[in-house]
Amino acid sequence: MGSKSVSSIALMLSLNLLFFSMVSCNTQIAHHNEQIKCPELQVCANILLPPFKPDRNCCPLIGGLIDLEAAVCLCAVLKLNLGGIVSINLDIPINLLLNTCGRKKTTYTCK
């Protein structure tokens, strides 16, 4: 029974990635009275799909952002791709991705 639910979640995440990759949007996040302009980070959302490995193509996209901006943008993109349907702790994938991209060891919490 467990493999059916995993398959259903994987299918839902795949469809979300497909639909959101077809929609072009600029994510802007207000943070401490500043606007952060996030790059298109859809390739970074692949970390939510099995085999749950960070995509190295994501690293150049966050290259122009400081660590906190990169974490905030990744959090926003991953939440957007999940569509609020599934409650998943995004802290681990975001920190894994940031660390894979050579950012300093971080413990960012996605809220």
Side-chain angles (χ1 to χ4, degrees):
M1 192 61 84
S3 67
K4 278 189 172 183
S5 65
V6 171
S7 297
S8 298
I9 290 172
L11 176 64
M12 189 223 25
L13 290 174
S14 299
L15 290 174
N16 275 338
L17 285 172
L18 174 68
F19 293 129
F20 284 114
S21 66
M22 291 190 290
V23 176
S24 176
C25 69
N26 288 326
T27 308
Q28 290 191 351
I29 302 164
H31 180 70
H32 296 289
N33 298 326
E34 296 178 19
Q35 289 289 325
I36 299 171
K37 180 136 170 111
C38 297
E40 294 292 328
L41 297 174
Q42 295 305 323
V43 69
C44 300
N46 291 343
I47 196 169
L48 297 175
L49 297 174
F52 307 108
K53 257 178 83 176
D55 189 333
R56 288 246 178 221
N57 293 324
C58 178
C59 296
L61 297 175
I62 63 173
L65 301 171
I66 62 172
D67 292 337
L68 181 60
E69 290 174 341
V72 170
C73 289
L74 288 170
C75 181
V77 164
L78 294 180
K79 281 184 176 182
L80 181 67
N81 277 309
L82 289 174
I85 298 171
V86 179
S87 178
I88 294 178
N89 183 353
L90 297 175
D91 300 344
I92 294 171
I94 287 174
N95 291 307
L96 176 66
L97 187 52
L98 290 172
N99 294 334
T100 299
C101 291
R103 299 302 179 113
K104 65 180 180 181
K105 298 294 181 204
T106 179
T107 55
Y108 176 77
T109 302
C110 185
K111 295 179 183 180

